[in-house]
Amino acid sequence: MARSAVRSAARFDLPEVDDFTRPYWDAAAEGRLLLRRCRAEGCGADHHYPREFCPYCWSEDVGWEPATGRATLYTWSVVHRNDLPPFGDRVPYVAAVVDLAEGPRMMTEITDCPEPELRIGMPLVVHFREAGDGGGEGVGGTGGSGGAEGAAIAVPVFRPA
């Protein structure tokens, strides 16, 4: 019985913030999306998810760069059942892959759009869900947790532009 109580308290929507990813999560808490960009001569590729090296040329000369927050819808799926907390309280939701304006693809969620209105290639814009507070909408350039221990985490999600 104690095991089920512990399981129900677990959150599966919160990232593990470490020293490497802290700039990404701090920017998200401020309503900004960051990408990693290769600084090697002749490369300059943007990539996402954040890595400490360029996945195209393997250079370790990469840094954080602001993204425009614009994207187009590549594909999606409507999730009708998810037993992991707190996703079960959110169903149905739209899990998606978007093409960021800078080039990389990103897994995310589409909000504020009924599923029948979704179209491949539709323009999207990022906004941020405060996940550490139970998943309510919230952050959008108005400040945030600053990455403090135990504070809310803002997760980038997208909606129609």
Side-chain angles (χ1 to χ4, degrees), residues 139-156:
V139 178
T142 59
S145 69
E149 188 69 33
I153 296 288
V155 176

Side-chain angles (χ1 to χ4, degrees), residues 7 15 26 40 43 50 55 63-64 113 119 121-122 124 135 145 147 158-159:
R7 183 175 177 178
D26 286 351
C43 186
W64 296 104
C113 186
R119 299 287 179 264
M122 74 184 296
L124 304 167
S145 69
F158 286 78
R159 64 176 144 217

Side-chain angles (χ1 to χ4, degrees), residues 13-54:
D13 63 332
L14 301 177
E16 290 188 29
V17 178
D18 58 23
D19 289 341
F20 171 68
T21 61
R22 186 167 310 282
Y24 179 85
W25 297 112
D26 286 351
E30 296 169 359
R32 298 181 297 117
L33 181 63
L34 296 182
L35 297 175
R36 297 287 279 175
R37 175 171 291 162
C38 182
R39 297 177 180 152
E41 189 174 333
C43 186
D46 291 311
H47 63 272
H48 186 81
Y49 63 92
R51 286 163 269 198
E52 295 187 48
F53 62 90
C54 174

Side-chain angles (χ1 to χ4, degrees), residues 3-13 79-93:
R3 184 175 189 196
S4 65
V6 170
R7 183 175 177 178
S8 67
R11 293 283 303 261
F12 292 90
D13 63 332
V79 178
H80 294 278
R81 181 177 175 160
N82 188 333
D83 295 332
L84 297 174
F87 297 108
D89 296 334
R90 295 182 190 160
V91 295
Y93 61 89

